[in-house]
Amino acid sequence: MNSDKAKKIIPVIILISAVVIISLILLIITRHKKNEEIVAKIYYENSVIYEVDLSKEDDVRTVEVELKEGLVIKIEVKKDAIRVIDAPCKRKDCMKMSWTSSPNKPIVCLDLHYMIILSGKSDYDVVIE
Ligand SMILES: [Zn+2]
């Protein structure tokens, strides 16, 4: 009689454990993804003129960004990284910096007064405050 009860209870216990384990794994995955989100912002004379979530990029993609009328730079974005491929500046320092995927390595152009700054979405609020 005891073993009969056990036979009925065991599948229930297994099912409950499976559900708990799956939800824990999902929770860990979504948290991990949230921390990995990288947002690139292009600032021109202290205002954000372009914003892109690099964590959502799949392939390499070229984007033309107009800093102001008649002043266009060409950037390339891919998964978690961004670079400048064409800019009408003299020194081309922004292009020489190549790919960046770190908030510690912003792209700064002293000639055209624009910069590209990366931030993780999770620490975005902290940066603004
Ligand atoms: Zn430049």
Side-chain angles (χ1 to χ4, degrees):
M1 190 162 171
N2 266 343
S3 67
D4 267 5
K5 260 190 180 175
K7 270 180 192 165
K8 278 179 189 169
I9 289 170
I10 285 170
V12 174
I13 291 172
I14 290 172
L15 190 71
I16 290 171
S17 325
V19 168
V20 169
I21 289 167
I22 288 168
S23 3
L24 278 176
I25 289 170
L26 283 176
L27 190 74
I28 290 166
I29 289 172
T30 46
R31 280 204 167 189
H32 193 58
K33 269 191 180 169
K34 225 179 191 177
N35 290 337
E36 276 189 345
E37 276 181 358
I38 297 175
V39 177
K41 285 182 181 173
I42 301 179
Y43 289 81
Y44 180 68
E45 289 176 349
N46 295 326
S47 45
V48 179
I49 51 157
Y50 185 78
E51 195 177 325
V52 58
D53 188 345
L54 297 174
S55 55
K56 288 188 179 133
E57 297 294 328
D58 295 321
D59 298 315
V60 180
R61 179 164 76 89
T62 307
V63 185
E64 286 192 358
V65 179
E66 193 173 50
L67 300 176
K68 65 172 182 182
E69 221 183 299
L71 187 57
V72 177
I73 59 164
K74 223 182 256 180
I75 56 166
E76 221 167 47
V77 293
K78 64 178 181 181
K79 178 102 181 129
D80 297 337
I82 187 168
R83 72 168 171 177
V84 178
I85 52 169
D86 194 28
C89 54
K90 289 173 203 156
R91 292 153 43 135
K92 310 281 181 198
D93 285 337
C94 48
M95 290 162 65
K96 284 175 201 157
M97 290 189 80
S98 193
W99 292 106
T100 177
S101 52
S102 162
N104 298 323
K105 193 194 165 195
I107 295 173
V108 181
C109 181
L110 297 172
D111 284 334
L112 302 178
H113 305 124
Y114 77 87
M115 53 190 178
I116 301 172
I117 293 173
L118 303 182
S119 62
K121 260 197 175 164
S122 49
D123 62 12
Y124 168 74
D125 290 335
V126 180
V127 170
I128 291 304
E129 279 167 16

